[in-house]
Amino acid sequence: GLEVLEALDRVRYDVILMDVQMPEMDGLMATRRVRAELPEARQPRIIAMTANAMQGDRERCLEAGMDDYLSKPVRLEDLDQALRHCLPFKTTNPASGVRAACPPNSVPRGVPNEYKESV
């Protein structure tokens, strides 16, 4: 969580895949800090990711300021859907008609090429 805040001081991110359980500062507290400390124009979309999916977890994540919620193991279809909710941040790729949600070199392995920007 602390590393997330430090990274946001250096780089602007459109989307953050935020683990809920982290040492030093959990994802809920990190999200609250992001929402409180960053100006509106720099607010990223935050997608919660957790291995311990229990009843009420989704609601706690959304109440903390997260935009979406995924339980681990993450299914590609669920990640695809969550990223599609983030699409307004980038311009449309004319070849695919899909907007890129992540910078080209930050897309995790296994994410379809349509999320990568053309170079």
Side-chain angles (χ1 to χ4, degrees):
L2 293 175
E3 290 179 24
V4 169
L5 298 175
E6 291 170 7
L8 285 168
D9 282 339
R10 295 185 309 273
V11 179
R12 181 178 179 163
Y13 293 90
D14 291 332
V15 178
I16 297 172
L17 302 178
M18 180 82 76
D19 198 342
V20 174
Q21 295 181 332
M22 296 182 284
E24 298 176 10
M25 180 186 295
D26 69 22
L28 298 174
M29 179 56 71
T31 297
R32 287 185 192 104
R33 296 259 317 261
V34 167
R35 297 301 184 220
E37 296 174 13
L38 285 182
E40 183 73 26
R42 289 197 53 222
Q43 287 288 324
R45 302 287 295 205
I46 301 176
I47 301 171
M49 300 186 79
T50 183
N52 297 328
M54 300 179 70
Q55 188 169 355
D57 282 351
R58 178 181 182 84
E59 291 74 20
R60 279 188 285 283
C61 290
L62 297 177
E63 287 172 6
M66 295 181 180
D67 298 292
D68 212 333
Y69 174 92
L70 297 173
S71 60
K72 296 176 188 177
V74 175
R75 293 182 28 220
L76 186 56
E77 297 81 19
D78 295 337
L79 178 59
D80 177 70
Q81 186 65 30
L83 289 173
R84 286 181 187 277
H85 289 140
C86 301
L87 292 179
F89 287 100
K90 296 287 180 184
T91 59
T92 301
N93 176 343
S96 67
V98 176
R99 295 178 184 158
C102 304
N105 295 323
S106 68
V107 179
R109 277 192 197 131
V111 173
N113 284 336
E114 63 194 28
Y115 291 113
K116 300 176 183 176
E117 293 180 339
S118 300
V119 177

